[in-house]
Amino acid sequence: MARKSESTAPRGAAAEKPKKEPGRLKQMLEVFKYTQSVDKATAPLMIGAIVLSIVVFVLLSWLVFDSPWYGVFLGLAVGVLLAMIILARRAERAAFERIKDQPGAALAAMQSIRRGWNVSEEPVQIDPRSQKMLFRASGRPGIVIVAEDASNLSLKLIEKERRAIGRVLPHDEVPIHQIVVGDGEGQVPLHKLPSHMTRLKRTLTKDEAAQVTRRLAALQRSIRQAVPKGVDPMRARPNRKAMRGR
């Protein structure tokens, strides 16, 4: 009589189930809790947006349809949408505040821009002793050089980078924008850096911007060996865990 085949899997061993991702509603709740803990004005602004939308649409509905009920539903829908927009912006700002004082925070903000800019993946200038770093991006508005503070050393790095750029650009018609991240006069706060770069006037065509990007590629050089131990600017970027406060 033939023996029954035995299972090769150890008895009692069960296949590990993939970890279930939290649902969309749970993620939004976590984002709201973290954002509210950092920015106490988040909840009042969201509630105010909902209430104001309902009031406005109720008045309009009363005037047009002689009934407030249409306005209640429309106002609630619009109010919730506005509240979600407020939450998204406040959450992004809270995420930037979380990495504000970390080396490479400016790079994280630059990389959050979805389109229009070619951002260098690594710092273009760095001082190993002080850990001061300089970042660069190119696009139709020209070239942007971003420093993380207004120290004399950072300004010297900016001048050094401008000279390096001048050696590869064919002419001086490409605008070079210098941006210093900070809260002082003439500086750009970290959470406003993406919008500030997006609003810069476009002076180059797509072909000219592409040519500038190719020429700047000649300046690319690996500086990983010059980065002090323990400093990794590529890790300083807003992500979902940061926004959830983990």
Side-chain angles (χ1 to χ4, degrees):
M1 213 175 152
R3 291 190 306 174
K4 295 181 180 179
S5 60
E6 296 181 357
S7 174
T8 57
R11 192 173 181 180
E16 294 184 0
K17 295 182 179 180
K19 188 177 180 180
K20 186 178 181 181
E21 293 292 333
R24 182 67 60 86
L25 185 60
K26 186 176 181 180
Q27 289 181 357
M28 292 178 60
L29 183 60
E30 290 177 349
V31 170
F32 171 76
K33 287 181 179 179
Y34 170 68
T35 306
Q36 178 63 20
S37 66
V38 176
D39 187 354
K40 302 298 183 182
T42 302
L45 287 174
M46 294 175 66
I47 295 173
I50 295 175
V51 172
L52 182 61
S53 297
I54 293 176
V55 171
V56 171
F57 277 90
V58 164
L59 292 176
L60 291 175
S61 178
W62 214 324
L63 292 174
V64 176
F65 301 105
D66 197 23
S67 173
W69 298 111
Y70 296 104
V72 172
F73 295 111
L74 287 174
L76 181 61
V78 174
V80 170
L81 177 61
L82 292 176
M84 292 299 101
I85 294 175
I86 291 173
L87 176 60
R89 292 184 176 180
R90 293 275 169 169
E92 183 181 36
R93 180 171 180 173
F96 284 138
E97 287 294 327
R98 185 179 179 86
I99 63 171
K100 184 176 180 180
D101 297 325
Q102 297 181 15
L107 177 61
M110 295 167 68
Q111 290 179 333
S112 69
I113 303 176
R114 295 184 178 180
R115 62 180 64 183
W117 288 96
N118 295 300
V119 181
S120 298
E121 293 294 326
E122 295 182 350
V124 292
Q125 297 288 342
I126 187 171
D127 181 74
R129 180 175 298 179
S130 64
Q131 301 182 12
K132 302 292 184 183
M133 291 183 282
L134 210 65
F135 306 99
R136 188 185 66 219
S138 62
R140 293 188 60 186
I143 301 172
V144 166
I145 304 174
V146 180
E148 295 189 303
D149 57 46
S151 63
N152 290 332
L153 183 55
S154 293
L155 297 180
K156 290 180 180 179
L157 291 177
I158 290 177
E159 288 302 318
K160 182 179 179 181
E161 180 63 18
R162 288 180 65 94
R163 291 194 297 269
I165 293 174
R167 291 196 295 267
V168 298
L169 289 181
H171 48 72
D172 298 329
E173 297 178 0
V174 179
I176 300 178
H177 308 276
Q178 299 178 188
I179 299 178
V180 176
V181 175
D183 299 321
E185 184 178 357
Q187 300 177 1
V188 179
L190 180 64
H191 68 278
K192 292 185 178 180
L193 179 59
S195 60
H196 179 83
M197 291 176 58
T198 304
R199 290 197 301 266
L200 290 175
K201 184 179 179 181
R202 299 181 179 182
T203 57
L204 304 178
T205 64
K206 290 184 178 181
D207 292 338
E208 290 173 340
Q211 183 181 9
V212 170
T213 300
R214 288 193 297 269
R215 288 184 175 272
L216 289 178
L219 291 177
Q220 294 296 335
R221 54 197 177 276
S222 176
I223 61 170
R224 284 290 180 178
Q225 295 179 353
V227 177
K229 185 178 181 181
V231 177
D232 188 355
M234 298 302 295
R235 293 182 180 271
R237 65 178 66 190
N239 52 36
R240 291 182 178 179
K241 288 185 178 181
M243 294 176 68
R244 291 197 293 263
R246 293 182 179 179

